[in-house]
Amino acid sequence: MKIKKSCDFVETKSGKLYLPRPSTWLGGWARHMWFERCVGKKPSIASPDLYDELKERFGECELVEYEDGIISVLPPG
C-alpha cells in the first residue's frame, strides 16, 4: 500500500502525545488537525530538546495514513 501521510510522535507512559516542532506554522497546524482526527487525542508540540529527551526515554512511534484510508500506528523500534 502507498503511504498518503505520516508523522513521528512520542507517547508517554501516561498516554500524553508529543509531536516535534514543525518547520512552518501552517504545516504544523495541518499536521496537528490531521493527527488529532486520526488518533482522537490532542497532541502537544515539544521543543527539539524536549522531543529528543522524550524520544530517548519512550521511543518514537509513527502515525501512517495509507491512500486507501487505512490508518495505523507503528510502535517504537
Side-chain angles (χ1 to χ4, degrees), residues 51-70:
Y51 190 82
D52 286 344
E53 182 182 318
L54 292 168
K55 182 168 71 170
E56 188 174 312
R57 189 167 173 201
F58 299 105
E60 187 173 51
C61 301
E62 184 179 11
L63 176 65
V64 179
E65 181 178 10
Y66 297 95
E67 284 188 340
D68 62 1
I70 293 175

Side-chain angles (χ1 to χ4, degrees), residues 35-46:
F35 187 93
E36 189 175 344
R37 179 180 55 81
C38 291
V39 176
K41 292 166 108 179
K42 282 192 176 215
S44 296
I45 304 299

Side-chain angles (χ1 to χ4, degrees), residues 2-72:
K2 197 166 184 185
I3 294 175
K4 180 179 174 183
K5 285 185 182 180
S6 70
C7 77
D8 296 328
F9 70 98
V10 172
E11 182 173 12
T12 66
K13 298 241 186 262
S14 65
K16 192 153 171 92
L17 303 172
Y18 290 91
L19 295 173
R21 182 183 292 161
S23 56
T24 67
W25 180 89
L26 189 56
W29 176 79
R31 179 190 64 179
H32 200 91
M33 299 300 289
W34 170 74
F35 187 93
E36 189 175 344
R37 179 180 55 81
C38 291
V39 176
K41 292 166 108 179
K42 282 192 176 215
S44 296
I45 304 299
S47 68
D49 290 342
L50 176 59
Y51 190 82
D52 286 344
E53 182 182 318
L54 292 168
K55 182 168 71 170
E56 188 174 312
R57 189 167 173 201
F58 299 105
E60 187 173 51
C61 301
E62 184 179 11
L63 176 65
V64 179
E65 181 178 10
Y66 297 95
E67 284 188 340
D68 62 1
I70 293 175
I71 296 168
S72 64

